[in-house]
DNA sequence: TGAAGTTTAA
């Protein structure tokens, strides 16, 4: 009756079914509970391949409160009525890709090295195709060991001709960068260069952006200077990639210095100026932004709708709607018409500033201009309606999007789910994430964050765990904000042991803990007299500090 | 993601 299953256990997650009582034990990073299958929300599915064992429930110390019983029952009733199967039947054409599933099942076992992944995959008998590679890489883009092991395995397949798939190589470069495996990433690029014909500007853009994202400015700039060693032209497009990645990571000063030092060698285009303009606008440096407009004109470029929209956004960030409108008037006088992007910025900022009535006038003005809304515009409108507490209207709008041929995206779902959680309409929130599971939109941390928060607030530990397990299964990793929320939320729920686990994981990942979070945890441990854990946390902080 | 806009939250 011992717990089982090496690989899954190593990942500190397992689900065990007792065939007699049909109870399911869920264990996730020290969280543990025993549930009846009917308690599982409809969107939560245990993989069929998981082994079955009888096990006692000594670890279970969680209780689902009565409110969530009603939630679970309602989801369940729909399930009993065939709700889920109806949804599935109605889907236009669900592509069942057996090969993707077969490989995913192997990759999910979370091996300790790419070589082990490669070995395990040798047992698979699937045919390598471009679509298979893309699907797997997309699915495991948070897990470089699985992705890289899979890629090496593909490379060994006799039918695989690596020159056919430069984009897949670029994806692999990006995954290594995203997971901060920078040395491996550079080695891999070298390897691509040796094979020949695989390294392009789009490859190097991934490298530059990932270095910038990790605030390794020097490496980003060096990558640009050394482009020609890899056979990539050091032209204006390459310069713009570097400038943009520096600006997007909020280092516009560094971008300006690069720009000035390169100006004599590479002639900038209008985009170069707009990139810098955007950098200054985001940094709320309006004087510098205006200076860029002037330089742009001196250089012989006329500011375009993107330039004006950037300035409008800068004023909107400062809630200076008067000046935003003045720019709007100025661009019109220049014969430059605002686009749906311009209107989205204005509407969204008005909503954020609680000027709801004015915000809701924007769609009217926009249609007068003959400008058609898109998904992002709808998302902002939904956000504004939610901010005003008009959830029913927001939901109606969401339904209308389908009808109007403007497909909702993951942000649409996340916005509504978040609002439902804020207004304690948890049943609607869970209904929506169920619906999302049946749509092409993929949830991310931002989708789950408000749900996890709600579970903490209501002390719904079982539901919290369903969600965490679900995220784990989908390879959605926690971000700093979510770690902080979980550590604090579990602390307040007297789940100190679990709170410590998330705290530990966060610190080991190199995420700095806020003093507030640390103190809350330490105070909790002190109050409960759990001195061992308190000492461990202290040690952890010392280690983290010395590493920095 | 990538010359402009949309989701969490301290």
């Amino acid at each position: 009756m011992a717990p089982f299953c090496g690989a899954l256990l190593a990942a500190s997650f397992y689900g065990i079914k007792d065939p007699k009582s049909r109870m399911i034990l869920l264990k996730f990073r020290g969280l543990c509970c025993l549930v009846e299958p009917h308690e599982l929300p409809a969107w939560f599915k245990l993989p069929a391949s998981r082994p079955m064992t009888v096990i006692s429930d000594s670890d279970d110390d969680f209780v689902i409160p009565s409110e969530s019983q009603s939630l679970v029952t309602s989801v369940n009733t729909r399930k009993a009525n065939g709700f889920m199967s109806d949804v599935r039947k109605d889907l236009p054409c669900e592509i069942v890709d057996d090969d993707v599933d077969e490989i995913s099942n192997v990759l999910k076992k979370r091996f300790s090295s790419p070589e082990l992944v490669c070995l395990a995959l040798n047992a698979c008998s699937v045919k390598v195709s471009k679509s298979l590679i893309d699907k797997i890489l997309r699915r495991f883009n948070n897990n470089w060991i699985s992705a890289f092991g899979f890629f090496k395995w593909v490379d060994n397949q006799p039918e695989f001709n690596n020159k056919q798939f430069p984009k897949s190589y670029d994806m692999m470069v990006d995954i290594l960068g995203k997971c901060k495996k920078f040395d491996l990433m550079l080695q891999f690029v070298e390897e691509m260069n040796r094979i020949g014909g695989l390294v392009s500007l789009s490859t190097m853009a991934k490298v530059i952006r990932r270095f910038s994202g990790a605030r390794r400015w020097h490496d980003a700039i060096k990558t640009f200077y050394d482009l020609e060693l890899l056979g990539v032209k050091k032209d204006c497009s390459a310069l713009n990639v570097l400038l943009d990645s520096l600006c997007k990571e909020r280092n516009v000063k560094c971008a300006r210095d690069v720009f000035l030092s390169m100006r004599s060698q590479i002639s900038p285009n209008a985009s170069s100026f707009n990139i810098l303009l955007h950098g200054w606008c985001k940094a709320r440096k309006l004087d510098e932004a205006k200076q860029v407009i002037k330089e742009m004109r001196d250089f012989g470029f006329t500011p375009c709708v993107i330039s004006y929209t950037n300035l409008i956004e800068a004023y909107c960030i400062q809630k200076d709607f008067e000046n935003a409108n003045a720019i709007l008037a100025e661009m019109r006088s220049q014969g430059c018409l605002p686009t749906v992007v311009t209107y989205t910025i204005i509407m969204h900022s008005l909503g954020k500033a609680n000027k709801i009535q004015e915000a809701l006038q924007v769609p009217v003005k926009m249609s007068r201009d003959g400008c058609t809304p898109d998904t992002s515009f709808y998302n902002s409108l939904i956000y504004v309606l939610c901010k005003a507490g008009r959830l029913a209207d927001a939901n109606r709008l969401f339904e209308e999007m389908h009808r109007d041929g403007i497909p909702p995206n993951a942000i649409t779902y996340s916005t509504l789910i978040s609002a439902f959680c804020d207004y304690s309409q948890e049943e609607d929130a869970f209904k929506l994430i169920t619906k999302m599971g049946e749509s092409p939109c993929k949830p991310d941390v931002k989708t789950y964050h408000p749900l996890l928060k709600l579970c903490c607030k209501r002390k719904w530990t079982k539901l919290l765990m369903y969600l965490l397990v679900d995220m784990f299964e989908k390879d959605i990793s926690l971000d700093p904000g979510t770690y902080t929320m979980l550590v604090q939320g579990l602390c307040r729920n007297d789940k100190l042991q679990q709170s410590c686990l998330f705290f530990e994981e966060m610190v080991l990942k190199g995420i700095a803990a806020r003093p507030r979070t640390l103190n809350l945890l330490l105070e909790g441990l002190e109050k409960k007299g759990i001195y061992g854990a308190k000492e461990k946390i202290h040690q952890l902080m010392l280690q983290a500090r010395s590493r920095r």
Side-chain angles (χ1 to χ4, degrees):
Chain A
M1 242 169 276
F4 64 100
C5 185
L8 283 171
L9 193 60
S12 67
F13 163 75
Y14 53 93
I16 306 166
K17 271 185 178 173
D18 172 351
K20 279 182 210 127
S21 73
R22 300 179 57 243
M23 294 292 269
I24 297 171
L25 177 80
L26 292 171
K27 202 162 189 171
F28 179 75
R29 301 178 201 183
L31 287 167
C32 177
C33 73
L34 196 72
V35 293
E36 290 279 2
H38 73 262
E39 287 183 304
L40 295 170
W43 42 265
F44 180 86
K45 293 178 198 78
L46 277 174
S49 59
R50 204 143 289 174
M52 292 198 175
T53 314
V54 183
I55 190 156
S56 78
D57 64 344
S58 58
D59 272 330
D60 185 13
D61 60 348
F62 298 107
V63 179
I64 272 196
S66 52
E67 292 109 303
S68 86
Q69 292 287 11
S70 70
L71 161 70
V72 170
T73 320
S74 68
V75 171
N76 219 44
T77 320
R78 280 199 307 274
K79 196 178 176 187
N81 293 340
F83 171 77
M84 294 306 291
S85 55
D86 282 353
V87 169
R88 210 163 292 129
K89 228 184 296 161
D90 290 347
L91 278 174
C93 58
E94 195 178 332
I95 304 155
V96 185
D97 202 333
D98 291 343
D99 287 352
V100 173
D101 286 346
E102 188 180 344
I103 296 207
S104 295
N105 284 336
V106 176
L107 296 185
K108 265 191 203 158
K109 290 183 183 154
R110 299 183 184 237
F111 293 93
S112 58
S113 76
E115 289 70 25
L116 291 174
V117 175
C118 224
L119 278 176
L121 284 172
N122 282 335
C124 294
S125 57
V126 304
K127 198 173 163 351
V128 172
S129 67
K130 187 179 181 317
S131 127
L132 175 93
I133 300 174
D134 287 359
K135 276 184 186 155
I136 295 289
L137 291 184
R138 230 188 306 268
R139 189 148 169 191
F140 289 89
N141 69 7
N142 268 325
N143 183 338
W144 73 273
I145 295 181
S146 294
F148 202 41
F150 165 73
F151 203 87
K152 280 170 176 257
W153 174 80
V154 167
D155 207 24
N156 287 335
Q157 299 307 298
E159 73 267 31
F160 179 68
N161 172 3
N162 44 30
K163 297 213 173 163
Q164 277 179 319
F165 307 125
K167 285 277 166 288
S168 309
Y169 274 86
D170 289 356
M171 271 172 98
M172 194 59 241
V173 170
D174 199 42
I175 293 170
L176 291 171
K178 186 178 184 183
C179 300
K180 300 202 160 63
K181 294 283 144 199
F182 293 114
D183 291 341
L184 208 53
M185 173 182 76
L186 293 179
Q187 279 171 30
F188 187 66
V189 172
E190 283 292 336
E191 176 61 25
M192 287 166 68
N193 192 35
R194 257 197 302 278
I195 296 169
L198 287 171
V199 181
S200 65
L201 177 59
S202 99
T203 318
M204 298 319 287
K206 309 259 185 243
V207 174
I208 291 173
R209 289 191 191 280
R210 289 302 176 190
F211 272 136
S212 296
R215 309 182 70 81
R216 292 172 66 154
W217 320 117
H218 184 75
D219 290 315
I221 295 167
K222 189 174 180 304
T223 304
F224 168 75
Y225 278 111
D226 292 347
L227 276 182
E228 271 151 9
L229 297 179
L230 292 160
V232 178
K233 255 207 205 146
K234 226 163 75 183
D235 57 9
C236 180
S237 317
L239 176 66
N240 287 351
V241 166
L242 177 63
L243 296 179
D244 188 55
S245 68
L246 294 172
C247 287
K248 292 255 166 69
E249 302 303 333
R250 311 208 174 260
N251 198 347
V252 55
K253 280 187 185 157
C254 184
R256 180 195 49 198
D257 293 345
V258 171
F259 179 74
L260 292 176
S261 74
M262 292 306 297
R263 210 149 54 159
S264 57
Q265 296 161 55
I266 298 173
S267 187
N269 61 13
S271 304
S272 320
F273 289 99
N274 280 333
I275 290 165
L276 287 172
L277 176 64
H278 182 228
W280 290 118
C281 287
K282 281 278 179 196
R284 302 183 182 211
K285 302 272 188 201
L286 265 160
D287 290 340
E288 283 84 348
K290 285 178 190 157
Q291 182 61 30
V292 173
I293 294 264
K294 191 181 166 298
E295 284 170 25
M296 188 174 181
R297 285 207 166 97
D298 292 347
F299 220 87
F301 295 115
T302 315
C304 64
V305 60
I306 295 179
S307 327
Y308 287 116
T309 302
N310 269 311
L311 278 180
I312 288 175
E313 188 183 19
Y315 282 119
C316 282
I317 289 171
Q318 302 186 347
K319 297 191 183 150
D320 182 351
F321 298 106
E322 212 170 295
N323 270 312
N325 280 325
I327 301 282
L328 206 56
E330 188 192 326
M331 62 191 281
R332 276 186 197 282
S333 77
Q334 304 282 320
C336 183
L337 283 179
T339 66
V340 61
V341 178
T342 324
Y343 284 114
T344 307
I345 291 167
I346 296 171
M347 179 175 67
H348 195 254
S349 312
L350 284 168
K352 270 210 153 141
N354 261 324
K355 295 178 181 286
I356 305 295
Q357 284 318 312
E358 286 171 63
L360 295 178
Q361 285 304 306
V362 173
V364 183
K365 286 183 189 158
M366 189 170 88
S367 74
R368 231 181 270 152
D369 265 357
C371 185
T372 43
D374 62 6
T375 301
S376 295
F377 185 83
Y378 267 97
N379 289 348
S380 278
L381 190 51
I382 286 174
Y383 169 85
V384 172
L385 287 168
C386 290
K387 184 125 204 281
R390 291 168 57 178
L391 299 207
D393 287 335
N395 207 22
R396 205 166 308 127
L397 207 58
F398 170 72
E399 301 290 343
E400 280 174 20
M401 290 176 79
H402 279 109
R403 195 198 58 196
D404 295 348
I406 299 164
N409 62 15
I411 297 176
T412 323
Y413 281 95
S414 301
T415 308
L416 265 176
I417 288 172
S418 166
F420 283 138
C421 290
D422 280 347
Y423 284 86
S424 296
Q425 298 190 20
E426 56 274 352
E427 183 146 4
D428 290 308
F430 280 100
K431 231 190 251 178
L432 206 54
I433 199 163
T434 308
K435 195 169 180 180
M436 191 177 186
E438 302 292 336
S439 85
C441 304
K442 270 177 64 185
D444 61 11
V445 228
K446 292 182 176 80
T447 318
Y448 281 93
H449 184 103
L451 294 165
L452 298 171
K453 191 178 158 194
L454 183 75
C455 288
C456 285
K457 192 175 134 199
R458 298 287 180 85
K459 305 195 182 208
W460 291 344
T461 318
K462 274 188 182 175
L463 216 42
L464 175 68
M465 200 153 69
Y466 296 151
L467 294 171
L468 287 167
V469 170
D470 197 39
M471 289 171 77
F472 184 82
E473 292 264 291
K474 294 194 169 98
D475 254 298
I476 300 171
S477 49
L478 302 175
D479 62 356
T482 309
Y483 271 117
T484 305
M485 185 272 293
L486 282 174
V487 170
Q488 296 191 6
L490 287 165
C491 238
R492 294 199 183 97
N493 287 355
D494 281 334
K495 301 281 177 221
L496 289 158
Q497 204 192 334
Q498 289 78 17
S499 180
C500 284
L501 278 165
F502 283 104
F503 187 86
E504 199 176 336
E505 193 175 275
M506 172 177 86
V507 175
L508 289 176
K509 267 194 186 173
I511 299 169
R514 295 165 175 282
R516 206 178 116 77
T517 313
L518 175 67
N519 290 336
L520 195 75
L521 183 57
L522 290 176
E523 277 164 26
L525 291 169
E526 171 85 41
K527 223 185 278 168
K528 291 250 162 175
I530 313 174
Y531 300 109
K534 206 180 149 190
E535 183 49 36
K536 200 174 167 197
I537 297 288
H538 272 305
Q539 290 300 326
L540 203 65
M541 293 311 289
L542 285 177
Q543 281 167 22
R545 220 161 284 159
S546 69
R547 237 180 293 136
R548 237 174 282 144

